[in-house]
Amino acid sequence: MTTLCIMLQHSIAQPQFSRRALRFCRQALQQGHRIECVFFYRQAVDHAAQSDDADTREVQQQWQQFARQHDVALVACHTVAERLNIGEFAEGFEDSGLTALVQAMANADRTLQF
């Protein structure tokens, strides 16, 4: 069993990257691997923003459901969130800094970026 740290860097406006990462996470768990956390960094922090856009909400809800179902932390970089003027996070997303990413990477066998 491998422990993974997943890092997303693409905006939710490019949902193909998010869906690819989510599909990978599901397959990894089915194969018996463990996910330390999913860290949303750079433009991907917008996954955590409250939104009324239907397409954005669909992708966001898929991550929220995945996190609840598999007890996986969804962590968004608070420094980037501040720069993007994201003040309030959607349910299921927590804010933290790069220290959380480094700690997750240290606890994981591998880190994968999407």
Side-chain angles (χ1 to χ4, degrees), residues 24-98:
F24 175 86
C25 289
R26 288 178 176 144
Q27 290 172 348
L29 291 175
Q30 286 177 351
Q31 294 176 8
H33 301 293
R34 182 179 165 276
I35 298 176
E36 180 71 19
C37 82
V38 178
F39 193 86
F40 297 85
Y41 189 52
R42 295 195 172 125
Q43 294 302 312
V45 169
D46 65 357
H47 282 72
Q50 295 281 357
S51 176
D52 294 329
D53 179 68
D55 293 333
T56 299
R57 287 290 305 145
E58 178 192 351
V59 173
Q60 190 179 68
Q61 288 172 345
Q62 290 174 3
W63 279 110
Q64 291 167 321
Q65 180 183 15
F66 171 80
R68 279 190 305 271
Q69 186 176 16
H70 300 288
D71 195 29
V72 173
L74 304 177
V75 183
C77 180
H78 66 81
T79 304
V80 176
E82 287 176 10
R83 276 191 243 136
L84 296 175
N85 294 319
I86 298 172
E88 191 173 328
F89 284 9
E91 182 183 334
F93 290 86
E94 58 185 82
D95 67 323
S96 195
L98 290 177

